[in-house]
Amino acid sequence: MSLFITFEGPEGSGKSTQIGLLATALGEAQRVLVTREPGGTRIGNAIRSLVLDPAHTEMSPRAETLLFNAARAQIVDEIIRPALARGEIVLCDRYADSTLAYQGFGHGQPLGPLRQLAAYATAELTPDLTIFLDIDVVAGLARKRAGAVEEWNRMEEKALAFHENVRRGYLTLAEQSSRWLVIDATLPAATIHQQIMAQVHQRINQGADDEAGNGHYQQ
Ligand code: TYD
């Protein structure tokens, strides 16, 4: 059964660790495709270099928003939809909610147009489950700083207030829809993994009950 799961979180929340653990666990029984935004395709990776380059200090928030959405349209058409159509489970590191959180709540771009843009870029493809790994902004950035220097990007260089707004944005979005699972990212990785597995199994069982298996076309 196809399932579209996205991971969201501020910097240093441990998304990639959890995606790896989930992919391994689910991969025993089913085909799992792991991808990320921005990126995941040749065009997406070219946009990724452009949009995250720390040298591009003059980039306008609207240009930034459109570039993230261009990469998104490409990954949806080229990778995500075909994988779901083949009945695979897709795990995506960031998706449309990142634009609402970063460009919307972070940069103060109006949410209405951003939502319309996301609907266009994704052709209305909404995740079945969105896992938000929540962590205090200072702790998250410190974790990220302790990692590889070359991973530091233009978004991470922004002021603390920006990242606080992003986190608040995520929490606001999570309150608005039942597709979100909010997890305390400071818990041990194994505990977080268990919580995610419990929720994923619930969604898989739900999907099997519905037999429609096309929940990812609805909010
Ligand atoms: P990345 O190196 O993938 O960081 P992370 O490990 O935190 O996911 O960088 C992606 C950066 O781009 C991250 O700072 C969040 C930002 N971003 C947006 O601002 N808007 C978006 O729509 C997306 C997908 C990412």
Side-chain angles (χ1 to χ4, degrees):
M1 191 194 81
S2 72
L3 200 62
F4 181 26
I5 303 174
T6 57
F7 283 74
E8 298 285 352
E11 323 301 326
S13 57
K15 288 186 277 91
S16 27
T17 303
Q18 290 304 323
I19 290 172
L21 291 171
L22 184 59
T24 304
L26 294 175
E28 287 172 12
Q30 197 171 345
R31 275 190 69 98
V32 178
L33 186 136
V34 175
T35 191
R36 71 161 178 185
E37 274 206 26
T41 65
R42 195 159 60 119
I43 288 167
N45 283 325
I47 294 173
R48 179 183 178 88
S49 314
L50 184 66
V51 79
L52 295 182
D53 187 340
H56 293 163
T57 50
E58 76 278 30
M59 191 175 289
S60 108
R62 287 197 330 284
E64 182 180 293
T65 299
L66 291 166
L67 286 170
F68 279 121
N69 275 292
R72 182 162 301 133
Q74 189 66 34
I75 201 176
V76 164
D77 289 354
E78 189 182 326
I79 306 283
I80 300 177
R81 267 192 203 278
L84 293 172
R86 291 192 300 267
E88 297 178 13
I89 293 181
V90 175
L91 309 183
C92 194
D93 187 346
R94 300 194 177 281
Y95 191 60
D97 298 304
S98 278
T99 300
L100 295 177
Y102 282 79
Q103 282 64 51
F105 288 90
H107 279 315
Q109 294 288 296
L111 292 179
L114 289 188
R115 286 189 200 276
Q116 283 180 327
L117 205 53
Y120 178 69
T122 63
E124 316 269 349
L125 179 69
T126 305
D128 297 295
L129 174 63
T130 297
I131 295 161
F132 175 54
L133 296 175
D134 185 34
I135 187 166
D136 170 76
V137 167
V138 175
L141 287 172
R143 272 203 207 178
K144 185 90 186 189
R145 273 202 187 91
V149 175
E150 61 269 22
E151 280 181 17
W152 203 247
N153 68 48
R154 200 170 58 79
M155 304 307 294
E156 285 147 358
E157 284 183 355
K158 295 192 184 304
L160 208 56
F162 172 85
H163 293 287
E164 300 278 8
N165 287 338
V166 169
R167 182 186 183 197
R168 249 189 334 100
Y170 273 128
L171 292 170
T172 304
L173 293 172
E175 275 170 16
Q176 291 169 357
S177 162
S178 59
R179 80 175 150 87
W180 289 77
L181 171 66
V182 179
I183 297 184
D184 175 358
T186 64
L187 291 170
T191 310
I192 296 176
H193 176 59
Q194 279 168 4
Q195 292 185 5
I196 292 175
M197 283 303 285
Q199 189 64 219
V200 168
H201 279 136
Q202 196 178 313
R203 304 278 162 156
I204 289 175
N205 294 338
Q206 241 172 36
D209 285 351
D210 292 351
E211 275 210 353
N214 62 349
H216 41 263
Y217 294 99
Q218 282 125 41
Q219 184 74 28

